[in-house]
Amino acid sequence: METQKVQCSFLYCFRDSLAAEVFRLCFPGRIPEWLAFDNMHHQWLLLAACFWVVFMFMVASKFITLTFKDPDAYGAKQEFLFLTAVPDAGRLPGEKHFPEELQPTGKMLSHSRLPPPLVYMERLELIRNVCRDETLKNLSHTAVSKFVLDRIFVCDKHKILFCQTPKVGNTQWKKVLIVLNGAFPSIEEIPENVVHDHEKNGLPRLSSFSDTEIQKRLKTYFKFFIVRDPFERLISAFKDKFVHNPRFEPWYRHEIAPGIIRKYRRNRTETRGIQFEDFVRYLGDPNHRWLDLQFGDHIIHWVTYVELCAPCEIKYSVIGHHETLEDDAPYILKEAGIDHLVSYPTIPPGITVYNKTKVEHYFLGISKRDIRRLYARFEGDFKLFGYQKPDFLLN
């Protein structure tokens, strides 16, 4: 009995669950006041700890969302990126699934560093010169077909035409035009699922007008589009459609990818999903058009700027560059006379910088022959818009 009291006295000092159990054994049927108070204290501490865990989880979730934000969809509602259902699709050995280091390389030709508005005049002059080059005629000219007219969105209220070049921040420009057309009062109020729904976003295409009305708008409206390093744009298109697919468009993985693999995969025993080298081989094939016809308008995400916007046939007012969008976006709004009505959404720092490391990484292991064939197809885009030939990949 004396030993039990000593034990109870010792455990009483710690006031924990073990002390409570010992007290019960020592004094059956009695609950000390200090123990009732202590239990209540522990319950409040447990509740506070639960709230703290939930709070930290919310903070961690927000951090992960920002960390894995897709640079090509800035300003849009963010979602967690996920791996494609096909293991390791488009990922080369050693690639990590988080933002690569951005490294400026001076990729643009020197005239892009001239002060505005001279730089924009130089861009248009370069296009005119390349369009006159007979040796590049097959790469720089295209008919102003329905395919081209379908790419051009119209804002009649402010007399603006915008040619869509996917994977170059076009979502944000579409939001600008949606607001100007009056469908929504501000960019922030536009639901993300409406931006690309052409039945709801209030953006008519130039192809919806009569021939006379089309010509009238082409001659008198302010016209612009945005370009980006052609190879980096292809990487962005591949990642967006075949790896992440954030808009849940299953046909890219389940219809287009198998078609490319069947035709262009060299190792027929390879069972992985579409790889970037398969994509490069398809794009560089001089006979790619028969497959393009099967894919339909989905090819807009990787065809040339020439095929999308016909820059030698349509006299554009301004050509913006993704790499200098921080300067180009305000200039375009001012030249179009709408800078007092709407602003281009905020551009996250560094998001538009050309990433040579990423380009080298994706082309690592791809044969020089396939890269040269790819460049041969996109040479017109490189020369028309002042992007240097990627000799670090070709030689």
Side-chain angles (χ1 to χ4, degrees), residues 340-377:
H340 62 293
L341 299 173
V342 67
S343 297
Y344 189 82
T346 302
I347 303 171
I351 208 74
T352 59
V353 177
Y354 174 77
N355 191 342
K356 182 180 178 182
T357 300
K358 179 175 68 176
V359 175
E360 289 178 321
H361 182 77
Y362 268 82
F363 282 92
L364 181 67
I366 297 179
S367 72
K368 298 299 181 183
R369 171 183 174 272
D370 288 338
I371 298 176
R372 291 189 185 106
R373 291 178 68 172
L374 181 68
Y375 176 75
R377 178 179 175 187

Side-chain angles (χ1 to χ4, degrees), residues 42 330 348:
H42 284 172

Side-chain angles (χ1 to χ4, degrees), residues 131 136-152 163 206-207 214-215 218 289 303-316 384:
C131 290
L136 293 173
K137 190 170 184 178
N138 291 337
L139 295 171
S140 60
H141 289 263
T142 190
V144 183
S145 61
K146 184 180 183 299
F147 180 81
V148 173
L149 297 175
D150 277 344
R151 310 280 74 79
I152 301 177
C163 185
L206 192 55
S207 58
I214 290 172
Q215 292 304 318
L218 285 174
R289 294 189 184 281
V303 298
T304 66
Y305 299 128
V306 170
E307 295 169 283
L308 290 169
C309 298
C312 286
E313 284 68 35
I314 297 174
K315 188 177 181 181
Y316 286 91
L384 278 165

